[in-house]
């Protein structure tokens, strides 16, 4: 096992290097656009040239690449062309917001997916089973962004239960420490933050969580059905173990591992999903920051955001893989 | 308790029975027909103000009302179907062709080439799909054709990996061994021996991926990275409608509903093919 883990860890910086290079090249394939966008605001010719020099855009692409990599290894992501803000600190503000949303979505996905899967798996072939499977397919087939908008229409416009926009109401004054609302609420003793935050996070989390719950639902369902057919379950039943106990103690435990893996893999997918949910709900996370920067051709912010999202994604996938090996001893021995 | 054969398979949709099995094919057929015939059946020009008030409600003249620019929404949706199908089907076709070729080479040749290709695939797959597509669109500029390319590129590694796995499974079979022992070159083995035997599962898989491609493309359009306005594009129409949800929520609901119906129908069709394949 040690060898495999080592190999994956060695591969990590290589992957990140390629990711950074791809991001750098993609953003520079259309040269000068950012300056033209900015330049249209300046009428004096000298100002535009000075700006180009300040941003280092007059240098050759190789020089720019060298500077970019040099800064990257020092965790310096540069400054926003448009606002002059330090990209690293922008990432520091927006990444926790996205992680919060991804975790909240994961909670929704887990509850909905496992709940529907257990129910359908416990009664396969029945009307309830068919109904639940249809729901899971429906949820999967809905465009995420559109589902989010439908939730806004129903729960914000018609019922008025939740706010539609942002992460906290502007009336709340919040001095961030870690930028994680729940952690800050504990550190600062500001428990009044929790309810407004929950209200804001509910709809985006439902959007991402429900649309991704189908995979987990189907896996749980199949797991329950397959496990119920095994010899040891038949033995348990023949011994006279009561039905519910067989279900929860014997079947559920054996299905749990497969479920855990899927949850891990889906957590990575949540990051992609939250990009869209953040745009729909005006949620100030790193996905929305990156998309806005791309649309404005704010190179430094876009590449910083893209690299951080990709790096985070790679790390999560690695962690999932390792925890799977840890949880399943058979893989530990075989994975040498 | 009786469980059908279908229950035992993963990722199986609810099994449709009888006439219901024809429904998704009919829906897809109808949508394709509507997309092709759009210029003939659409009552108005999709990008021109039709002279009616903005955000007109549903009426016989405007079955889906008019949008925020006074354009006939029914005509816009009809004209938006074609680009959606072109992007999703085109992207998957391209991804199958390129990813399939790369995966075939990787699986049949093996060795260091295989290792290199698979590591490259690993790196491409370490990107969240949507981010990879966004970067491609940034590099190429936003347009319907580039949207197709972007979605294709984000799917290539998936098909490369799948084809490699299928090809590697075939290479060790007797018939491939026999071909190689008879002195046929690697190219012959790839194209004439292995490829025909992995084509069917690959195409069946591709059908299901069309649904994913359509959703990805719609999301990118929504983010403003697909067709340039005023071209009718279903994803972008949802975006435009979202700004008006307080006044006319139907303008954002309808185009999204059409995307959802297309994706759902394609998923069910793909599943029926899967079933016949015995997958």
């Amino acid at each position: 096992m040690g060898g495999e883990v080592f190999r994956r860890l060695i591969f990590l910086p290589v992957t990140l290097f390629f990711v950074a290079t791809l991001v750098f090249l993609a953003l520079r394939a259309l040269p000068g656009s950012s300056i033209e966008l900015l330049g249209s605001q300046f009428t004096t010719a000298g100002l535009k040239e000075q700006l180009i020099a300040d941003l280092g855009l007059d240098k050759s692409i190789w020089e720019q690449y060298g500077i970019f990599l040099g800064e990257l290894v020092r965790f310096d992501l540069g400054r926003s062309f448009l606002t002059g803000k330090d990209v690293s600190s922008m990432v520091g503000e927006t990444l926790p917001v996205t992680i919060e949303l991804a975790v909240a979505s994961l909670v929704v996905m887990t509850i909905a997916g496992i709940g529907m899967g257990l129910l359908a798996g416990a009664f396969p072939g029945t009307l309830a089973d068919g109904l639940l499977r249809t729901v899971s397919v429906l949820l999967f087939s809905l465009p995420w962004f559109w589902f989010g908008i439908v939730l806004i229409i129903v729960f914000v416009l018609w019922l008025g239960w939740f706010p539609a926009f942002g992460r906290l109401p502007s009336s709340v004054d919040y001095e961030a420490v870690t930028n994680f609302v729940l952690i800050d609420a504990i550190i600062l003793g500001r428990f009044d933050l929790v309810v407004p935050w929950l209200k804001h996070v509910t709809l985006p989390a439902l959007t991402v969580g429900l649309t991704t719950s189908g995979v987990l639902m189907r896996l749980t369902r199949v797991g329950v059905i397959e496990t119920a057919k095994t010899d040891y379950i038949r033995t348990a039943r023949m011994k006279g173990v009561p039905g519910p106990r067989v279900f929860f103690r014997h079947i559920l435990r054996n299905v749990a591992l497969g479920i855990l893996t899927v949850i891990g893999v889906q957590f990575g997918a949540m990051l992609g999903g939250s990009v869209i949910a953040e745009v729909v709900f005006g949620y100030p996370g790193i996905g929305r920051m990156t998309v806005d920067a791309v649309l404005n051709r704010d190179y430094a912010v876009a590449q910083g955001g893209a690299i951080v999202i990709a790096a985070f994604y790679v790390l999560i996938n690695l962690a999932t893989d390792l925890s799977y090996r840890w949880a399943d001893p058979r893989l530990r021995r075989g994975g040498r | 308790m009786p469980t059908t054969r279908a229950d035992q398979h993963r990722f199986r949709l609810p099994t449709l029975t009888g006439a219901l099995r024809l429904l998704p094919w009919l829906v897809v057929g109808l949508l394709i027909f509507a997309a092709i015939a759009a210029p003939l059946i659409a009552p108005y020009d999709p990008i021109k103000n039709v002279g009616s008030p903005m955000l007109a409600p549903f009426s016989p003249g405007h079955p889906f009302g008019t949008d925020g620019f006074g354009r006939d929404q029914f005509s816009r949706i009809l004209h938006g179907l074609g680009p959606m199908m072109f992007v999703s089907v085109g992207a998957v076709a391209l991804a199958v062709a390129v990813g399939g070729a790369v995966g075939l080479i990787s699986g049949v040749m093996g060795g260091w080439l295989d290792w290199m290709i698979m590591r490259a695939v690993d790196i491409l797959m370490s990107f969240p799909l949507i981010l990879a597509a966004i970067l491609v669109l940034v590099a190429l500029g936003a347009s319907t054709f580039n949207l197709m390319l972007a979605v294709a590129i984000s799917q290539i590694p998936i098909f490369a990996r799948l084809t490699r796995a299928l090809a590697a499974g075939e290479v060790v079979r007797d018939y491939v061994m026999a071909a190689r022992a008879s002195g046929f070159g690697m190219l012959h083995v790839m194209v004439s021996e292995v490829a025909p035997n992995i084509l069917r599962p690959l195409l069946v898989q591709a059908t299901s991926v069309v649904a994913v491609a359509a959703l990805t493309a719609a999301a990118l359009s929504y983010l403003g990275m697909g067709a340039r306005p005023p071209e009718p594009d279903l994803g972008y129409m949802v975006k435009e409608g979202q700004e008006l949800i307080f006044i006319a929520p139907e303008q954002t609901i309808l185009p999204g509903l059409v995307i959802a119906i297309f994706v759902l129908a394609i998923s069910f069709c793909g599943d029926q093919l899967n079933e016949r394949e015995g997958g």
Side-chain angles (χ1 to χ4, degrees):
Chain A
M1 182 205 181
E4 171 67 13
V5 174
F6 186 67
R7 238 173 39 130
R8 298 277 313 248
L9 283 176
I10 286 286
F11 205 62
L12 189 65
V14 182
T15 308
L16 293 181
F17 167 75
F18 275 107
V19 166
T21 305
L22 285 177
V23 171
F24 176 86
L25 288 176
L27 287 171
R28 271 159 190 76
L30 279 183
S33 319
S34 174
I35 283 307
E36 261 133 50
L37 206 79
L38 277 176
S40 60
Q41 296 166 20
F42 301 108
T43 41
T44 331
L47 259 178
K48 189 172 161 186
E49 272 71 55
Q50 199 201 330
L51 191 68
I52 293 178
D54 283 353
L55 295 171
L57 292 177
D58 54 343
K59 300 193 177 68
S60 77
I61 191 145
W62 291 110
E63 278 176 276
Q64 288 186 44
Y65 182 56
I67 294 169
F68 163 67
L69 285 185
E71 287 176 347
L72 192 62
V73 291
R74 280 178 272 125
F75 295 105
D76 179 358
L77 296 172
R79 283 178 180 284
S80 162
F81 293 175
L82 295 178
T83 62
K85 271 183 86 175
D86 182 43
V87 177
S88 306
S89 68
M90 285 172 81
V91 167
E93 282 167 25
T94 53
L95 184 62
V97 177
T98 298
I99 296 176
E100 272 175 1
L101 177 55
V103 171
S105 308
L106 203 67
V107 171
V108 173
M109 181 195 84
T110 307
I111 295 173
I114 295 183
M116 290 195 297
L118 289 181
L119 207 60
F123 309 102
T126 61
L127 185 67
D129 180 29
L131 218 64
L132 285 169
R133 281 196 292 162
T134 310
V135 168
S136 84
V137 178
L138 272 175
L139 287 174
F140 170 80
S141 304
L142 300 179
W144 294 10
F145 56 95
W146 180 75
F147 184 57
I149 295 172
V150 171
L151 289 182
I152 292 180
I153 291 172
V154 174
F155 290 103
V156 181
L157 294 188
W158 294 354
L159 299 171
W161 289 357
F162 298 103
F165 205 78
R167 182 199 192 198
L168 281 172
S170 52
S171 55
V172 172
D173 127 79
Y174 167 49
E175 289 277 329
V177 181
T178 60
N179 264 310
F180 289 96
V181 169
L182 285 186
I183 297 176
D184 280 0
I186 295 169
I187 295 177
L188 302 170
R190 289 283 306 278
F191 296 102
D192 57 313
L193 291 173
V194 176
V195 171
W197 174 76
L198 272 178
K199 277 190 164 178
H200 278 83
V201 84
T202 303
L203 291 184
L206 280 177
T207 303
V208 183
L210 288 180
T211 45
T212 45
S213 62
V215 177
L216 188 61
M217 181 266 179
R218 279 174 268 181
L219 194 95
T220 309
R221 177 181 172 278
V222 171
V224 170
I225 294 174
E226 301 271 293
T227 313
K229 286 186 198 143
T230 55
D231 289 341
Y232 59 85
I233 296 299
R234 207 179 46 195
T235 311
R237 287 197 197 282
M238 287 197 305
K239 278 196 318 192
V241 180
R245 196 179 152 84
V246 171
F247 189 76
F248 287 107
R249 284 294 296 269
H250 298 255
I251 295 181
L252 209 53
R253 276 192 175 192
N254 284 288
V255 179
L257 183 66
I259 294 175
L260 275 179
T261 324
V262 175
I263 293 177
V265 173
Q266 289 291 92
F267 188 62
M270 299 267 147
L271 283 178
S274 51
V275 171
I276 292 165
E278 283 167 19
V279 175
V280 174
F281 291 94
Y283 210 75
I286 194 168
R288 179 159 165 256
M289 178 192 91
T290 309
V291 169
D292 283 350
V294 164
L295 293 175
N296 295 326
R297 303 220 160 265
D298 194 345
Y299 288 165
V301 180
Q303 74 196 11
I307 289 169
V308 171
I309 294 175
F312 199 64
Y313 188 75
V314 172
L315 284 173
I316 287 175
N317 284 345
L318 181 68
T320 309
D321 231 46
L322 296 184
S323 62
Y324 188 40
R325 284 163 183 283
W326 171 78
D328 190 343
R330 282 169 302 186
L331 275 181
R332 227 179 298 167
R333 260 179 272 126
R336 200 178 295 273
Chain B
M1 92 195 59
T3 53
T4 60
R5 192 177 65 91
D7 286 325
Q8 296 160 14
H9 291 290
R10 285 167 185 223
F11 307 126
R12 178 60 45 85
L13 308 185
T15 317
L16 299 178
T17 47
L20 218 50
R21 289 176 68 85
L22 282 175
L23 189 64
W25 299 96
L26 280 177
V27 171
V28 171
L30 191 71
L31 287 175
I32 292 175
F33 171 77
I36 295 172
L40 299 175
I41 50 179
Y44 294 98
D45 186 324
I47 59 176
K48 285 216 182 90
N49 181 307
V50 295
S52 306
M54 287 177 259
L55 301 175
F58 296 177
S59 68
H62 301 293
F64 293 164
T66 58
D67 73 359
F69 295 97
R71 298 174 297 203
D72 180 53
Q73 187 76 341
F74 180 61
S75 304
R76 284 181 66 72
I77 286 180
L78 279 178
H79 280 275
L81 289 172
M84 173 176 71
M85 289 173 194
F86 165 73
V87 168
S88 47
V89 177
V92 172
L94 196 65
V96 170
V98 177
V102 170
L104 193 60
I105 293 171
S106 192
V108 174
M109 301 296 277
W112 64 269
L113 191 63
D114 180 29
W115 191 88
M116 293 277 286
I117 291 175
M118 282 305 116
R119 293 298 78 74
V121 166
D122 282 345
I123 288 172
L124 287 174
M125 288 187 90
S126 68
F127 264 71
L129 215 84
I130 193 107
L131 191 63
I134 288 176
L135 287 176
V136 174
L137 280 170
V138 170
L140 299 178
S143 76
T144 304
F145 185 77
N146 289 344
L147 180 63
M148 190 270 284
L149 283 183
V151 178
I153 289 174
S154 69
Q155 303 281 355
I156 284 173
I158 299 169
F159 280 105
R161 199 174 262 185
L162 177 69
T163 312
R164 181 198 174 266
L166 290 168
E170 293 297 317
V171 163
V172 295
R173 296 273 184 91
D174 289 343
Y175 74 92
V176 177
M177 297 285 192
R180 292 177 70 168
S182 323
F184 285 113
M186 277 303 193
L187 194 65
H188 174 91
V189 171
M190 275 184 228
V191 177
S192 307
E193 306 288 338
V194 177
N197 284 293
I198 61 175
L199 199 60
R200 275 180 64 97
L202 204 59
L203 289 182
V204 167
Q205 176 73 20
T207 317
S208 310
V209 177
V210 169
V212 179
L215 287 176
T216 311
L220 288 165
S221 292
Y222 172 80
L223 294 178
M225 296 180 186
R228 305 313 293 155
E231 266 175 65
D233 178 292
L234 296 176
Y236 197 72
M237 284 158 75
V238 174
K239 171 83 171 175
E240 287 178 320
Q242 189 187 359
E243 284 153 25
L244 304 162
I245 51 174
F246 291 98
I247 323 164
E250 72 277 3
Q251 296 305 325
T252 190
I253 292 179
L254 279 172
L257 194 62
V258 173
I259 301 172
I261 289 172
F262 175 68
V263 170
L264 199 62
I266 286 277
S267 304
F268 274 106
C269 290
D271 195 61
Q272 287 185 22
L273 293 178
N274 240 319
E275 215 171 295
R276 279 183 45 183
E277 188 65 20

